[in-house]
């Protein structure tokens, strides 16, 4: 039986705090969400799906949490969304996070991809991104 708490919630809170605390990013988007209402205005970032696996060491518990982020924009090109994604990467990749109740070890960018919504009028752009965040018990 493990005494290690899940890192999913604390990691999501840390990512949210980092993103919403950055004035430059917040001038590029209308908000950071984990639930998006139908009335939300583009562009925005969604903190999406998360996975967690053990990353234990001798005498301690650790977690690798993979956080999916989604950049959504409404343009006829990927440029504005890519600028948002670049700022998100600059804020998270190889940057220390304050994760409540856990020691942050590392955050690593894993991938991003540009997608176009095929539904007319064809101006919705989506950039899924993924970051691997390693934590351990304090």
């Amino acid at each position: 039986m493990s005494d290690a708490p899940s890192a999913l919630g604390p990691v999501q809170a840390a990512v949210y705090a980092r993103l919403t605390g950055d004035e430059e990013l917040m001038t590029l988007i209308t908000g950071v969400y984990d639930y998006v209402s139908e009335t939300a205005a583009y562009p925005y970032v969604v903190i999406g799906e998360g996975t967690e696996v053990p990353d234990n060491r001798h005498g301690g518990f650790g977690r690798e949490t993979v956080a999916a982020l989604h950049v959504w924009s409404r343009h006829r090109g990927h440029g504005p969304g890519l600028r948002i994604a670049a700022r998100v990467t600059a804020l998270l990749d190889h940057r220390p996070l304050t994760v409540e109740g856990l020691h942050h070890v590392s955050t690593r960018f894993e991938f991003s991809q540009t997608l176009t919504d095929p539904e007319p009028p064809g101006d919705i752009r989506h950039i899924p991104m993924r970051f691997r965040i390693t934590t351990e018990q304090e």
Side-chain angles (χ1 to χ4, degrees):
M1 178 179 284
S2 170
D3 289 337
S6 172
L8 287 169
V11 164
Q12 179 179 359
V15 169
Y16 179 83
R18 172 63 53 83
L19 298 181
T20 58
D22 183 68
E23 289 182 31
E24 183 178 339
L25 177 63
M26 296 311 291
T27 64
L28 298 173
I29 61 175
T30 63
V32 177
Y33 306 105
D34 70 352
Y35 168 79
V36 183
S37 74
E38 291 180 19
T39 60
Y42 292 96
Y44 52 82
V45 174
V46 174
I47 299 175
E49 306 73 20
T51 61
E52 178 181 81
V53 296
D55 187 33
N56 299 327
R57 58 181 163 62
H58 181 70
F61 295 103
R63 295 286 187 265
E64 276 197 359
T65 304
V66 176
L69 302 177
H70 303 271
V71 174
W72 290 93
S73 63
R74 188 165 209 162
H75 296 279
R76 295 226 176 254
H78 287 290
L82 288 170
R83 281 189 288 283
I84 295 165
R87 185 63 191 157
V88 168
T89 301
L91 290 169
L92 296 175
D93 189 32
H94 287 79
R95 302 286 306 226
L97 281 176
T98 301
V99 182
E100 186 176 340
L102 298 167
H103 170 71
H104 175 261
V105 176
S106 65
T107 299
R108 301 292 185 255
F109 170 75
E110 285 195 342
F111 90 98
S112 64
Q113 177 182 5
T114 56
L115 301 170
T116 302
D117 187 336
E119 295 297 316
D123 62 347
I124 296 177
R125 302 293 190 252
H126 176 202
I127 303 174
M129 309 175 73
R130 193 166 60 205
F131 294 85
R132 183 172 302 272
I133 300 161
T134 305
T135 57
E136 56 189 27
Q137 283 184 315
E138 293 184 319

